[in-house]
Amino acid sequence: MENQLIPEEIIMNQIYYIRGQKVMLDFDLASLYDVETKQLKRQVRRNIDRFPEDFMFELTSEEYSFSRSQNGTLKQGENFKYSPMVFTEQGVAMLSSVLNSDRAIKVNIQIIRIFTRIRQMLTDNTELRLEIEKIKNKLDNQDKNMEIVFKYLDELIEKKQEPQERKRIGFKPNGF
């Protein structure tokens, strides 16, 4: 790949799962874009029509405190005037249209590629799980079939082990 501005691990560690979506926090993005968080928020608020709820949302106070306790990412002791904004993959893509610096554009491209790679890994993982589940089902069915075969074999063996007395037929010399 081309020269990266930021190591992938740093970006990947700043992608969180909130409200069932992979998102990035405003202050992490501001740091990556090398702008102040208030500047990023100002640009988003000026262009709020570009950021519907599925592109960007603000954390509730409960989500904010939970994220801080769970991840340790939200800076404790700092008071935020506004709740942190979080951006989905589409929201991050839209940020490049409101932040016009060369760095913001390059970092955005890198972030979108990472989101795409994560989505592909999840898809591959899901496909692998489905294949494993199919194999398990086949093995379960084979186990059941083998049990039936062994049951029939046991029944046949039991029948052979119990010899029944048979009436003799045929020629009897001298009345025997």
Side-chain angles (χ1 to χ4, degrees):
M1 286 221 141
E2 54 200 59
N3 291 341
Q4 297 177 344
L5 292 172
I6 302 162
E8 284 186 8
E9 296 80 33
I10 290 174
I11 296 173
M12 290 184 89
N13 288 334
Q14 294 176 345
I15 297 174
Y16 303 100
Y17 197 71
I18 299 174
R19 295 187 194 174
Q21 301 180 67
K22 293 182 296 302
V23 296
M24 294 187 75
L25 300 164
D26 58 1
F27 52 84
D28 287 336
L29 286 165
S31 171
L32 294 172
Y33 296 143
D34 199 25
V35 298
E36 291 183 4
T37 304
K38 67 181 180 179
Q39 175 64 23
L40 184 139
K41 285 185 173 198
R42 186 180 311 127
Q43 289 300 93
V44 169
R45 291 196 195 286
R46 285 181 183 165
N47 298 282
I48 198 67
D49 292 340
R50 294 176 183 246
F51 296 94
E53 186 75 15
D54 58 329
F55 282 30
M56 182 275 303
F57 55 90
E58 291 188 39
L59 293 179
T60 64
S61 57
E62 294 84 23
E63 290 170 330
Y64 171 72
S65 59
F66 180 75
S67 294
R68 187 172 61 209
S69 66
Q70 290 297 309
N71 301 320
T73 56
L74 302 178
K75 298 165 183 101
Q76 192 145 6
E78 284 189 24
N79 294 324
F80 290 98
K81 188 173 183 180
Y82 301 102
S83 294
M85 295 176 169
V86 293
F87 297 86
T88 63
E89 180 178 354
Q90 293 82 8
V92 170
M94 189 59 72
L95 277 174
S96 66
S97 67
V98 298
L99 298 173
N100 294 321
S101 72
D102 287 337
R103 179 177 175 86
I105 292 168
K106 289 177 182 175
V107 169
N108 241 25
I109 291 169
Q110 191 176 353
I111 291 171
I112 296 302
R113 285 183 175 147
I114 290 172
F115 267 112
T116 303
R117 193 170 314 121
I118 289 172
R119 189 173 44 254
Q120 185 61 46
M121 287 186 322
L122 290 173
T123 301
D124 292 347
N125 192 14
T126 302
E127 289 174 6
L128 186 60
R129 282 185 171 169
L130 290 172
E131 288 298 318
I132 289 171
E133 204 56 41
K134 283 181 188 176
I135 292 170
K136 280 183 180 178
N137 288 336
K138 285 181 181 179
L139 289 175
D140 286 345
N141 288 339
Q142 283 188 344
D143 286 347
K144 290 175 188 171
N145 290 340
M146 293 300 290
E147 284 180 33
I148 292 171
V149 168
F150 283 119
K151 181 179 173 184
Y152 287 138
L153 284 173
D154 289 342
E155 288 176 11
L156 286 172
I157 289 172
E158 285 177 17
K159 285 183 181 178
K160 279 202 166 203
Q161 288 178 352
E162 299 172 8
Q164 297 176 355
E165 292 220 12
R166 296 199 261 162
K167 184 176 175 187
R168 295 189 69 134
I169 57 171
F171 177 73
K172 297 181 187 180
N174 296 333
F176 288 103

